[in-house]
Amino acid sequence: MSTSRRGLLGAALGGAVGLSSATAAHAASWQQKWAPSASGNGLGAFETVEDDRADSHPAGQPHIYATGDNWRFNMHRVDRDTSTDRQRQEVTGLRNGSGSNYLKWTEGQTWRVTYSMYIPSSLKATTTFTHIMQMKQPGNGTSPIVVQSLRRVNGVQTIELKLAIDDILVGRTDLEPLHDKWIDVDFQIKVGNGSAGSVRWILKNGSTTVVDKSRTGVDTFLADRVRPKWGIYRSLGDTSGSLQDCYLLLTNLRGYQLV
């Protein structure tokens, strides 16, 4: 199975892909703001890189790096975060250029990210949290707003999207049919406080839409701004025996703003 992927997400801008019928009517207003390449930008594509923050496994470093057209996140069973009950290898934010030139998602704005991900069968769903994408307020100790997670439900491996603030499940599907292949992700968020927010989550396996779920009237804002995170962030409290040395690949990351 090849782990190289080229070309933009197939149906990324081709149809009614907004958060609501009003958004869909203005699909042409999605403006691309971010289009890094792993080979050209490397880790400079991101605002920050959280690679073994506790220096727990120097022999495994770097855990996060660009390889060909992909960004790769390695996770070993011995890796530990600064909180030693969990593991974290993540990148944050959408950087354009250098310095403080990164995109800021603020209240009232609507943003979209599309990308492809390769989840090997070694990266399994767990009984406790395993997040592979988060939306968070920047800063130490801040709570997640949205999480895309690999979770065991009644013994079944699934991938899901939840609104973490109010513990709202947006969508969920079986993970095992998506292992060891490239899956396209289209995630959209209106940043809104209280009931002013919206999200849409689409997963495609080739030409097949596996998930297309939306929630409106939800809380997607805490304070300051919303910042995306990608990588592997998982608890060591799994009781299913699913924690293995593993990795995650991402490619074709794109960011759009509805303007």
Side-chain angles (χ1 to χ4, degrees):
M1 177 70 68
S2 170
T3 53
S4 177
R5 175 77 170 228
R6 296 180 183 274
L8 187 57
L9 178 66
L13 297 175
V17 293
L19 302 177
S20 64
S21 57
T23 303
H26 295 86
S29 294
W30 285 112
Q31 292 191 7
Q32 184 173 286
K33 300 288 188 177
W34 187 58
S37 73
S39 58
N41 300 98
L43 297 182
F46 308 107
E47 184 179 338
T48 70
V49 178
E50 299 175 351
D51 186 330
D52 197 6
R53 301 188 304 176
D55 198 27
S56 67
H57 186 202
Q61 298 171 7
H63 296 81
I64 307 170
Y65 54 91
T67 173
D69 295 327
N70 309 318
W71 288 275
R72 181 174 176 122
F73 303 79
N74 287 337
M75 184 66 78
H76 311 97
R77 284 178 292 175
V78 298
D79 298 345
R80 296 292 183 271
D81 194 24
T82 50
S83 296
T84 56
D85 64 341
R86 63 198 62 193
Q87 304 175 298
R88 183 198 304 268
Q89 312 292 3
E90 291 184 303
V91 296
T92 78
L94 287 63
R95 183 179 297 281
N96 282 322
S98 59
S100 60
N101 190 16
Y102 48 82
L103 299 175
K104 297 180 180 180
W105 298 11
T106 57
E107 189 175 5
Q109 295 179 339
T110 301
W111 287 89
R112 178 183 190 183
V113 288
T114 64
Y115 59 97
S116 297
M117 63 180 176
Y118 186 93
I119 304 174
S121 55
S122 58
L123 178 50
K124 292 176 165 54
T126 55
T127 55
T128 47
F129 69 82
T130 294
H131 303 321
I132 58 172
M133 181 189 75
Q134 300 186 74
M135 301 290 142
K136 294 191 71 177
Q137 173 194 339
N140 293 330
T142 55
S143 299
I145 299 167
V146 181
V147 288
Q148 180 179 253
S149 308
L150 311 181
R151 187 181 303 278
R152 285 189 179 264
V153 180
N154 298 321
V156 176
Q157 294 193 73
T158 73
I159 181 170
E160 67 179 27
L161 190 86
K162 270 192 172 184
L163 295 161
I165 296 175
D166 295 312
D167 194 28
I168 296 172
L169 179 66
V170 177
R172 176 185 287 153
T173 192
D174 287 354
L175 174 63
E176 289 191 41
L178 308 182
H179 269 144
D180 299 320
K181 59 187 69 175
W182 284 99
I183 304 301
D184 294 324
V185 183
D186 185 339
F187 173 76
Q188 304 160 33
I189 181 170
K190 179 179 179 183
V191 182
N193 198 27
S195 61
S198 302
V199 295
R200 185 177 181 185
W201 183 51
I202 304 169
L203 293 183
K204 286 182 172 261
N205 180 4
S207 61
T208 301
T209 299
V210 179
V211 175
D212 186 349
K213 295 291 186 180
S214 302
R215 290 297 296 257
T216 60
V218 293
D219 193 354
T220 59
F221 182 74
L222 291 173
D224 185 23
R225 60 187 173 104
V226 173
R227 183 171 67 181
K229 302 187 77 173
W230 292 276
I232 304 172
Y233 176 42
R234 66 185 185 181
S235 165
L236 294 170
D238 172 70
T239 58
S240 67
S242 296
L243 298 178
Q244 299 179 12
D245 290 354
C246 62
Y247 66 92
L248 172 72
L249 297 178
L250 302 180
T251 195
N252 296 333
L253 285 158
R254 299 291 183 264
Y256 305 88
Q257 185 180 8
L258 190 68
V259 294

